[in-house]
Amino acid sequence: MARYILFRLVSAIPVILGITVIVFLIMSLIPGDPAQAILGAYATPENVARINRDLGLDKPMVERYFIWLGNMLTGDFGRSFSLNRPVLDEILERFSATLVLASVSLLVCSLIGVAAGVVSAARQYGWADKTITFAVLIGISIPSFFLGMLMILLFAVKLRWLPVSGMFEIYGGRGPGDLLRHLVLPSVALAVVATGVVARLSRGAMLEVLRQDYIRTARAKGVGEGRVLWGHALRAAMVAILPILGLQAGFVLSGAVYIEVVFQWPGVGRMLVDAILKRDILLVQGAVTFVAGCYVLFNIVVDVAQAMIDPRIKA
Amino acid sequence: MPVFLKLVFRNRLAGAGAIIIAALVLTCLLVPVLPLADPDQTDTAHRFIRPFSEGRLLGTDHLGRDLLSRLLWGTRLSLAVGAVAALLAATFGTLIGVTAGYFGGRVDAVLMRGVDMLMAFPYILLALAIVAALGPGLLNALIAVAAVNVPFFARNIRGISAGLAAREFIDAARLAGEGHLRIILTELLPNVLPTIIVAVSTTIGWMVLETAGLSFLGLGSQPPQADLGSMLGEARPALITAPHTLVVPGLAIFVIVMSINLLGDGLRDALDPRLRSGALARPSPVTLIERAEVPAARAAPGFLDLDALDTRFRVGRRLYKAVNGVSLSIARGECLGLIGESGSGKSVTALSIMGLVASPPGVITGGAVRLEGEDVLALPYAALRSLRGRRVAYVFQDPLSTLHPLYRVGDQLTEAMRVHDRITDQEARARAIELLDTVQIPNPAERLSAYPHELSGGMRQRVGIAMALANDPDLIIADEPTTALDVTVQAQILALLDQLRRDRGLSILFITHDFGVVGQLCDRVAVMYAGRIVEEGPTAAVLAAPAHPYTRRLIDCVPELGGGKRALTAIPGLPPAVDSLPEGCAFAARCDRARDVCRTGTLDLAQTGGRAVRCLFPETTATEDRA
Ligand code: SF4
């Protein structure tokens, strides 16, 4: 297993390099003088001179790329002009907030989605299946930012059960209980679409597995139906479901941008939107590279988990 | 195309989706000529008017603008942007996909590598990066959303193109000296086009959602121009005081996306042949039993009796009689062979005994299965389950597909005991080792932790047999247990089964297509053809003097009893489709003794002593004494 993990890590290097190239290419689409674009309102002559020197903006593209890459490798993602602090510090702080939100959502959508998929498959064409299928259709059709606002209206404004927005109370908050209360609405709003997708695909994976000969073998042994479904069948279906969960991580990270804006969650998504509106190019560039890199690493975790549940995958 | 549309509309939800979309598109086209207020006309004296007020059907927003008008104009814009984004993404995706698929090799590798890189991003990051570079604005948001979706199209279409590029008609065109571009345009593209159309129509909803999202964030359409997303964004500050400004555009996006999803699902279902054939149906824990009447019990019940068993397959409106009035009897310690070609109904007969025929499509429509006189098919699920594996155990054909691929053999073995017995871990382990030893697996303790794919075919089948023995059953039903194995291993497994039978007093129902195997193992044999028993008798007698022409042919297929390669090619013709059995003898079409009378009336299974045959002109008069 250790060899497999190492192998996957090594094979991630070209992907991460590819990501930096793509981000770099996209950023070079910026029309006009890059120094001007990056500095925007802060484009004093000395700032322009400094940034040209630091980032090699006056050098040819290839050289510029390697300067940027080299800087990042030493942990230097540049400085945010709108926030006047190192980009990396800001990203790390914001990303941890996003991580909390996204992982809770991913957990919610995995548990509920898979369970709904199993039940749906087990009761194929029964009322439970039809209800779930219909709920899934609604779930994957409703824009998460709209749903989020509706939830605020109902649960925070009308019923006053939960806070309207933010990650902590401004005064006296900060405890884990406080965090949890603030997490409920955004994480659920964020999880809805992914739950729908996971439920739908899990149902398909289960139906595929339930027709297999080894399920008949289990039944022929006298294994009870509960164990057949949640043990034999789900175990085999997980091989197909795990990659779906990996993909959902990307969708949850994406949806987090909207949810963070709606719920004023101090995450990296909201930071990105602000940065774009303020034309804080270095912050955008750094955050996109950083988060995409993390996503690649997360997918390695999924692959390793895959190899752990499926003994047929060997390093 | 009309057939296709019919399919879509047969799915009622998809039809509803199609109708809503058509209505939406029509409305959007008509928006400029409808008597609507100016969507951008502000009227600060009349801000936040509630819906259903006079002259303001949907009320007004924070600047007093008419919401109905803004909604319709916004929907028009959102749909247009979504459609254009989908078309753009499809065009570039197709370009990349077709090029990669058609040329293959290095071109393919390079292009797909790039696509993989793009897909390594959470998609919105890519979109945000593009908007960040180009600057906020509806056009740039559109470009970003389209660009982000190019990889999905590219990958999809590459797969299909690569498949097509390998086909003969493309080769033919190449040999005819046509240019690449011409081949792509005239041969490849027309074949890819349907997929592209389906993909575009099903992703428009997604694109609408994405562009609306960017507009909502303030990165798409800029005021005063409004699409549905920016309307939502503008409504956010007034979320609490004037929720209608939020609900109106929000619901609109929801309806658009949902109807496109409905249509998309309908299209997908309509195009999925597996769904129509019922191949994706989930088999229930017990075969569906719909018996009109239950035949009376025999006067002298054997150990296991099948009485006039009927098992059918219901596929759509067709009914296949897989097992058609089969009666069999197995005594304690006896081995009965059930032999026939594939499709003869022998396996379905075997699976019917413990209600293991997959349903849908299987239904047991008549007859009885009696274990020591008790009607198994009348038992509630819990009672039937406790018989499975404990008193009647199965050994299946291909142990690679019938053993669970992700469980260790040891766990599969001990599970068989645990579902019927409360035993400790040590006991279970000890018994599992003993069982593996019984079936002559070397180093049994080590093998417990092996996965099925780590064992050889013969070893796997031994595990299968050990699992069947786990609860010391009275009857083992072996469904072609040696067919997947090579000849020497086959002989070993047969010898093992024979020895176990003698040691433990097991009854065996042995399903096979091979008379050679029957000769080695079985006391009696029953021959099945097209769902019916056509001959039955003691093995030696039947082998020596087959009465039914079909039996004789089966025996002739065995080149040399007990060895050599057996191929079932010697019988010309195919068994009849069991949904349209001919009148008279089902074998008539392939029988060299057939006469006209064979094709009329019904044929009974004629009993003479211990033998029975269903034939008007048997090869020999069936007697036992020639054995
Ligand atoms: S009944 Fe007639 S057709 Fe059928 S097997 Fe006998 S001889 Fe052949």
Side-chain angles (χ1 to χ4, degrees), chain B residues 548-550 585-589 591-595 598 603 614-618:
Chain B
H548 198 281
Y550 178 60
C585 175
F587 190 59
C591 181
D592 48 16
R593 302 168 70 89
R595 302 183 207 169
C598 296
L603 259 72
R614 195 190 297 272
C615 174
L616 292 177
F617 310 102

Side-chain angles (χ1 to χ4, degrees), chain A residues 14-20 22-23 26-31 121-125 134 137-146 149-150 152-153 157-158 164 193 200 204 207-233 235-237 239 249-251 253-255 257-258 261-264 269 272-273 276-277 279 281 284 287-289 291-292 295-296 299 308-314, chain B residues 13 113-114 116-126 128-136 152 206 209-214 216-219 229 232-233 235-236 239-240 243 246-251 253-255 257-259 261-262 265 268 274-275 278-286 351 356 360 381 385-390 392-394 396-398 400-407 411-413 415-416 419-420 451 453-454 467 471 479:
Chain A
V15 179
I16 291 183
L17 280 179
I19 283 175
T20 60
I22 290 171
V23 173
I26 291 176
M27 287 306 157
S28 64
L29 289 177
I30 299 174
R123 303 263 173 274
Q124 192 189 16
Y125 304 133
F134 188 66
L137 179 69
I138 292 187
I140 59 176
S141 303
I142 196 161
S144 61
F145 39 98
F146 177 48
M149 290 192 277
L150 289 183
I152 292 179
L153 266 180
V157 177
K158 278 252 155 55
V164 173
V193 179
R200 174 178 277 196
L207 286 177
E208 195 67 47
V209 165
L210 280 169
R211 298 182 298 127
Q212 299 299 317
D213 289 346
Y214 50 81
I215 297 299
R216 190 185 57 196
T217 307
R219 287 178 173 151
K221 281 199 287 191
V223 177
E225 205 44 27
R227 231 185 114 85
V228 168
L229 282 176
W230 297 93
H232 292 244
R235 175 68 181 268
V239 172
F251 283 84
L253 272 179
S254 296
V257 174
Y258 303 121
V261 169
V262 169
F263 287 91
Q264 304 282 310
L272 262 175
V273 175
I276 293 172
L277 291 173
R279 317 279 307 133
I281 303 297
V284 175
V288 169
T289 316
V291 177
Y295 179 57
V296 172
N299 273 313
M308 277 174 171
I309 63 164
D310 190 346
R312 291 167 298 182
I313 302 177
K314 268 287 163 278
Chain B
L13 290 176
R113 251 293 139 84
D116 284 346
M117 297 282 175
L118 286 173
M119 287 179 110
F121 284 88
Y123 68 89
I124 204 172
L125 283 185
L126 213 50
L128 287 180
I130 294 172
V131 174
L134 299 176
F152 294 94
W206 176 244
L209 202 59
E210 288 309 297
T211 43
L214 289 179
F216 168 77
L217 295 175
L219 306 176
L232 263 175
R236 201 164 71 86
L239 168 67
I240 296 167
L246 164 91
V247 172
V248 166
L251 277 182
I253 301 181
F254 173 62
V255 168
V257 176
M258 174 138 113
S259 43
N261 279 341
L262 274 175
D265 293 353
R268 223 190 29 221
R274 292 191 306 171
L275 213 66
L280 278 184
R282 170 219 192 240
S284 61
V286 184
L351 292 171
L356 285 169
Y381 170 67
R385 178 166 92 75
S386 93
L387 289 181
R388 288 177 176 176
R390 191 172 57 86
V392 179
Y394 282 84
F396 295 107
Q397 177 174 346
D398 175 9
L400 188 59
S401 65
T402 54
L403 291 177
H404 198 292
L406 308 181
Y407 285 135
D411 294 337
Q412 304 198 42
L413 263 174
E415 184 188 36
V419 291
H420 297 295
Y451 288 98
H453 72 274
E454 295 167 344
M467 213 156 78
N471 295 291
D479 188 358

Side-chain angles (χ1 to χ4, degrees), chain B residues 19-29 75 79 252 255-257 259:
Chain B
I19 290 170
I20 299 176
I21 293 170
L24 274 173
V25 170
L26 200 68
T27 321
C28 289
L29 290 176
T75 306
L79 270 180
V255 168
I256 294 175
V257 176
S259 43

Side-chain angles (χ1 to χ4, degrees), chain A:
Chain A
M1 193 49 74
R3 260 190 57 200
Y4 181 72
I5 296 174
L6 195 70
F7 163 75
R8 290 298 289 116
L9 281 175
V10 170
S11 65
I13 293 175
V15 179
I16 291 183
L17 280 179
I19 283 175
T20 60
V21 170
I22 290 171
V23 173
F24 183 78
L25 286 178
I26 291 176
M27 287 306 157
S28 64
L29 289 177
I30 299 174
D33 175 33
Q36 284 286 344
I38 289 172
L39 290 168
Y42 304 88
T44 57
E46 65 256 37
N47 272 346
V48 171
R50 204 178 115 198
I51 203 165
N52 272 337
R53 190 186 64 231
D54 289 354
L55 304 178
L57 290 182
D58 43 5
K59 306 235 167 65
M61 239 171 95
V62 178
E63 205 171 320
R64 227 159 67 205
Y65 168 72
F66 283 106
I67 293 175
W68 177 60
L69 191 66
N71 285 349
M72 276 198 301
L73 286 178
T74 59
D76 175 13
F77 279 58
R79 204 175 171 79
S80 156
F81 285 88
S82 66
L83 301 166
N84 195 25
R85 71 182 293 201
V87 163
L88 189 61
D89 293 2
E90 178 72 7
I91 293 174
L92 287 177
E93 193 180 311
R94 296 299 202 103
F95 190 62
S96 56
T98 298
L99 213 55
V100 171
L101 176 63
S103 26
V104 171
S105 278
L106 196 60
L107 197 70
V108 169
C109 86
S110 309
L111 293 179
I112 300 182
V114 172
V118 173
V119 171
S120 207
R123 303 263 173 274
Q124 192 189 16
Y125 304 133
W127 68 265
D129 183 28
K130 285 185 179 145
T131 314
I132 291 174
T133 307
F134 188 66
V136 163
L137 179 69
I138 292 187
I140 59 176
S141 303
I142 196 161
S144 61
F145 39 98
F146 177 48
L147 180 69
M149 290 192 277
L150 289 183
M151 284 169 66
I152 292 179
L153 266 180
L154 181 61
F155 296 106
V157 177
K158 278 252 155 55
L159 299 170
R160 296 186 170 279
W161 288 350
L162 292 160
V164 173
S165 64
M167 193 167 171
F168 293 104
E169 288 304 324
I170 299 170
Y171 302 107
R174 301 263 144 198
D178 188 38
L179 175 61
L180 222 57
R181 271 164 33 83
H182 281 83
L183 254 175
V184 176
L185 291 184
S187 59
V188 170
L190 179 52
V192 165
V193 179
T195 309
V197 177
V198 171
R200 174 178 277 196
L201 298 174
S202 302
R203 175 181 185 269
M206 283 292 286
L207 286 177
E208 195 67 47
V209 165
L210 280 169
R211 298 182 298 127
Q212 299 299 317
D213 289 346
Y214 50 81
I215 297 299
R216 190 185 57 196
T217 307
R219 287 178 173 151
K221 281 199 287 191
V223 177
E225 205 44 27
R227 231 185 114 85
V228 168
L229 282 176
W230 297 93
H232 292 244
L234 182 56
R235 175 68 181 268
M238 274 322 277
V239 172
I241 296 175
L242 254 185
I244 295 166
L245 297 182
L247 268 180
Q248 289 318 301
F251 283 84
V252 165
L253 272 179
S254 296
V257 174
Y258 303 121
I259 293 300
E260 286 175 6
V261 169
V262 169
F263 287 91
Q264 304 282 310
W265 192 265
V268 78
R270 205 174 117 218
M271 180 201 81
L272 262 175
V273 175
D274 289 344
I276 293 172
L277 291 173
K278 288 182 192 146
R279 317 279 307 133
D280 192 339
I281 303 297
L282 286 184
L283 191 54
V284 175
Q285 196 175 8
V288 169
T289 316
F290 183 86
V291 177
C294 290
Y295 179 57
V296 172
L297 293 182
F298 176 80
N299 273 313
I300 294 178
V301 175
V302 174
D303 283 351
V304 170
Q306 183 86 349
M308 277 174 171
I309 63 164
D310 190 346
R312 291 167 298 182
I313 302 177
K314 268 287 163 278

